[in-house]
Each structure stands twice: as C-alpha cells, then as structure tokens.
Amino acid sequence: MSERGTTGVLQPDPAMVDPQALRSVCANWATGVTVITSGSTARTTGLTVNSFTSVSLDPALILVCIHNDSGELPVLRRTGAFAVNILAADQEELCRSFASRHTRHSAKADTRPGITGVPVLSDALAYLECRIEREVDAGDHVIVIGEVVDLAVQREEGPLTFFRNTFHRLPAAS
C-alpha cells in the first residue's frame, strides 16, 4: 500500500521493490573490490566486499556492509578489528576465492599481522586497518563502522573494479 509522504508526494511501499530488480539496477554502479580480513595470521578469516566507503576524515571512519548470515561476522566481532584490503587489478582470482562460501575459509593469501593483530593482505593495492567503532542493523546486512588505526598504499597499480556483474581493470593514474 502506498501513502503520501511529508512532501505530499505518493510514496511507494518499500515491499513492492523486487530484490532482483534492485540488484540489477545497483549493478550499474561501478565499485572497487575489497577483501575484509580478520582473525589472526594463523587463521585468516576473510570475505569479498564491495560495499565499502569512507565515512569521516576526523575522526577517521569507514564502513563496510556484511550480510547477517556471514560466518565471518562473529570472527570480526570477537576480534574487534578488521582490515579492508583494496584489491589491485591483477587480483581477481584472490577476490573470487574470498567471495565463494565454499573456498573463502581455505583461501590462501600472503598476509602479515597488522598493528591490531589482524591479517593484512601483503600484496593488496592498499589497506585500512580498523577497530570496530559500532554496528548498525540494516535489513539483511549489518553496517560495520570502523575507526581507522593504520593505512597504507602498498602498490602503484590500477584497482580491480566491478560493474554489471563483471570484473574490470582500471589503469593506474600517471
């Protein structure tokens, strides 16, 4: 059922939006690709995420969106920290291994411990290491807001991007 909003404009019922249509429309937004890592370097937990953005410069905050059913979410909560590893154009295979529920627990990646102890992908384009600042429930996902405690660019190459359900490579700026 639709009703009039505060502006007097007819507001559609959100339940009327088909999830597949939403996914299809959002596929037209090009995103970067990240792997979120947590746990320890002895047992790296990670998953591919493209819902990532900067929130605030002062204080330094970022956010990532993680599905409520993700097996990695309890590890992030238990650890209290995570790294956002921004992938380079040549890291599609690594991205796919952390994207699949069947392989991400056994995905092999070269890591080093960050300052919080969470694994950082040694060969990522860049990383931001964060402490969990807060979580916000958002439908079938949780928005995890992280306070950035360490960050660096590790390579001078182009990023891996995702557009219309396909990976793309952007060249590095000269």
Side-chain angles (χ1 to χ4, degrees):
M1 176 142 225
S2 298
E3 56 186 67
R4 298 220 180 256
T6 56
T7 61
V9 176
L10 188 63
Q11 300 294 314
D13 182 349
M16 293 174 44
V17 175
D18 174 56
Q20 284 309 109
L22 178 61
R23 181 180 218 141
S24 177
V25 168
C26 288
N28 288 282
W29 175 250
T31 66
V33 183
T34 69
V35 169
I36 307 303
T37 51
S38 192
S40 68
T41 52
R43 175 110 166 90
T44 299
T45 297
L47 71 156
T48 298
V49 170
N50 68 349
S51 295
F52 153 74
T53 194
S54 170
V55 173
S56 171
L57 296 176
D58 187 15
L61 300 173
I62 58 89
L63 72 76
V64 295
C65 298
I66 300 174
H67 198 281
N68 290 331
D69 294 339
S70 169
E72 290 72 24
L73 191 53
V75 176
L76 262 74
R77 288 174 170 151
R78 189 170 48 253
T79 306
F82 61 94
V84 177
N85 300 275
I86 300 170
L87 298 188
D90 63 354
Q91 294 183 300
E92 181 179 338
E93 185 177 324
L94 180 66
C95 167
R96 289 184 183 280
S97 66
F98 278 107
S100 169
R101 290 180 188 238
H102 304 293
T103 61
R104 67 179 172 222
H105 297 290
S106 61
K108 301 293 183 220
D110 185 26
T111 63
R112 62 170 180 75
I115 64 172
T116 65
V118 299
V120 173
L121 298 179
S122 301
D123 204 28
L125 182 64
Y127 73 90
L128 301 100
E129 189 176 352
C130 305
R131 287 192 184 100
I132 295 176
E133 203 269 342
R134 82 177 78 130
E135 295 181 18
V136 178
D137 290 331
D140 59 2
H141 280 68
V142 62
I143 300 167
V144 179
I145 299 173
E147 175 189 16
V148 180
V149 296
D150 192 30
L151 69 163
V153 173
Q154 301 184 124
R155 297 167 65 183
E156 294 296 330
E157 298 180 31
L160 183 62
T161 60
F162 197 66
F163 176 70
R164 292 191 177 164
N165 301 316
T166 304
F167 291 101
H168 299 273
R169 297 173 182 217
L170 292 179
S174 332

